[in-house]
Amino acid sequence: MAAMTPQPGIMDISLYQGGASHLAGVDNVLKLSSNENPLGPPPAAIEALTSAAKGMHLYPSTDHAALRTAIAEVWNVDADRVICGVGSDEVLQFVTQAFAGPGDEIIHTEHGFSMYPILANMAGATPVSVPERDRVVDVDAILNAVTDHTRIVLLTNPGNPTGTRLSDAELVRLADELPQRVILVIDGAYTEYAEGYDGGLALAEVRPNVLMTRTFSKIYGLGGLRVGWGYGPKDMIDVMTRIRQPFNLSTVALAAAEAAARDTKWVEDCAALNADQRARLTGALRQLGLACDDSDTNFVLARAASVPEADAAEAALNADGILVRRVGGYGFPEGLRITVGNAEQTGRVISALTEWRNAS
Ligand SMILES: Cc1ncc(COP(=O)(O)O)c(C=O)c1O
């Protein structure tokens, strides 16, 4: 039986729960549970993928040179300091696996992305959850939680599912006050939706212990292809590259991501649509008596007054074929995380909730 004993931490993992995509008996389900792009993938990415498919009998590149070059050109960064993964999830896995193990601690905040404790346990390290303050990351709480065993701080900015953002000044203060032996990972999955925010790029550019992670799954509309990237100091990236599988990204995924990266107009248009509909949805939710913070992402966290009220709101949405995300696992049992859709989809959400309020 000894051979069957899993590595430390593995049995502490609770499986990740993705957003639901089906509703029994409903055909035209509106999925607003996983923060996907309502406009779908950029046409340029579909074209690139279709063309690359003809070469799918050949192994893909191992060094992702073309995609890293595109990223370097678009974001004005050093291609040698970019690492690409199967979603940003895999980049987060590289850093946790490469730099933490049994006996080490990985800090995340109480409402941080739910993959963080999973990744810490996968590495055999101990996840340490620290409180936020009014649904915003609390830099002092993070700093107070640092011990001699702390190796990594995983920070979602802007947050998921809160949608709130730590100010640039606070982000710099966190980087300044963390010991340099601790890696600060700034997970910028929703950066493009936060006006004027660089996702932590400027910090990752100059600090020896800061890694920024980004994804093609959200505004770039490629969630199903699984491509993300990280940017950090060269020596950190070199370590992570050693544990990256040589063919982790497929030919078609690489081609689509490269085309998407270069389609900056697409990103601008999607961000503009999101900003309009997010303001509309936020205003409507508040009017309907569902509290929500201003969001810097492509979703809004609506907080009902109680769990039964949240259940009822969700049931009303489901009855109209709309799926949203309950976020009890993130510490918000009375919360509904609603992805911002296009104008028609947002209208559908507002109508369903208005009818529900009028009926109750
Ligand atoms: C905060 C955050 N980080 C990372 C990810 C992972 O995204 P992906 O692996 O698709 O890049 C997500 C996805 O929902 C997220 O919300």
Side-chain angles (χ1 to χ4, degrees), residues 80-83 211 230 232-241:
D80 287 342
R81 295 172 52 188
V82 173
I83 185 167
L211 176 75
K234 176 92 170 59
D235 53 355
M236 189 193 292
I237 298 295
D238 285 348
V239 172
M240 291 162 64
T241 300

Side-chain angles (χ1 to χ4, degrees), residues 34 45 55 75 78 91 144 150 238 240 242 263 281-282 306 316:
S34 298
W75 277 273
D78 178 354
V91 180
N144 287 336
T150 307
D238 285 348
M240 291 162 64
R242 286 170 190 269
D263 196 347
L281 180 63
T282 305
S306 64

Side-chain angles (χ1 to χ4, degrees), residues 104-249:
D104 296 331
E105 293 170 355
I106 297 181
I107 293 177
H108 63 88
T109 67
E110 68 177 312
H111 306 304
F113 181 40
S114 61
M115 276 301 291
Y116 298 164
I118 295 178
L119 292 164
N121 283 320
M122 278 168 76
T126 304
V128 175
S129 173
V130 308
E132 298 191 4
R133 191 184 302 151
D134 295 331
R135 299 169 303 283
V136 180
V137 166
D138 180 346
V139 168
D140 293 312
I142 295 175
L143 294 171
N144 287 336
V146 172
T147 71
D148 288 347
H149 301 286
T150 307
R151 300 298 307 270
I152 300 173
V153 173
L154 295 173
L155 183 80
T156 325
N157 201 42
N160 172 16
T162 58
T164 62
R165 175 155 63 104
L166 198 57
S167 69
D168 289 349
E170 280 291 273
L171 205 52
V172 170
R173 184 167 79 86
L174 176 59
D176 279 346
E177 297 189 19
L178 269 183
Q180 283 210 358
R181 61 177 174 77
V182 176
I183 296 175
L184 172 62
V185 178
I186 303 172
D187 173 348
Y190 300 97
T191 297
E192 294 81 4
Y193 300 107
E195 216 188 318
Y197 175 53
D198 73 354
L201 200 155
L203 279 172
E205 187 66 69
V206 296
R207 304 287 173 127
N209 59 333
V210 175
L211 176 75
M212 171 187 77
T213 59
R214 302 287 286 266
T215 185
F216 285 98
S217 300
K218 307 299 176 187
I219 207 161
Y220 291 91
L222 304 185
L225 283 182
R226 315 298 303 124
V227 189
W229 57 284
Y231 187 67
K234 176 92 170 59
D235 53 355
M236 189 193 292
I237 298 295
D238 285 348
V239 172
M240 291 162 64
T241 300
R242 286 170 190 269
I243 57 166
R244 178 177 68 72
Q245 296 234 8
F247 304 112
N248 62 332
L249 292 176

Side-chain angles (χ1 to χ4, degrees), residues 5 18-19 32 43 81 105 175 214 222 243 250 257 291-292 314 358:
T5 306
L32 299 178
R81 295 172 52 188
E105 293 170 355
R214 302 287 286 266
L222 304 185
I243 57 166
S250 71
C292 43
E314 184 184 23
N358 289 342

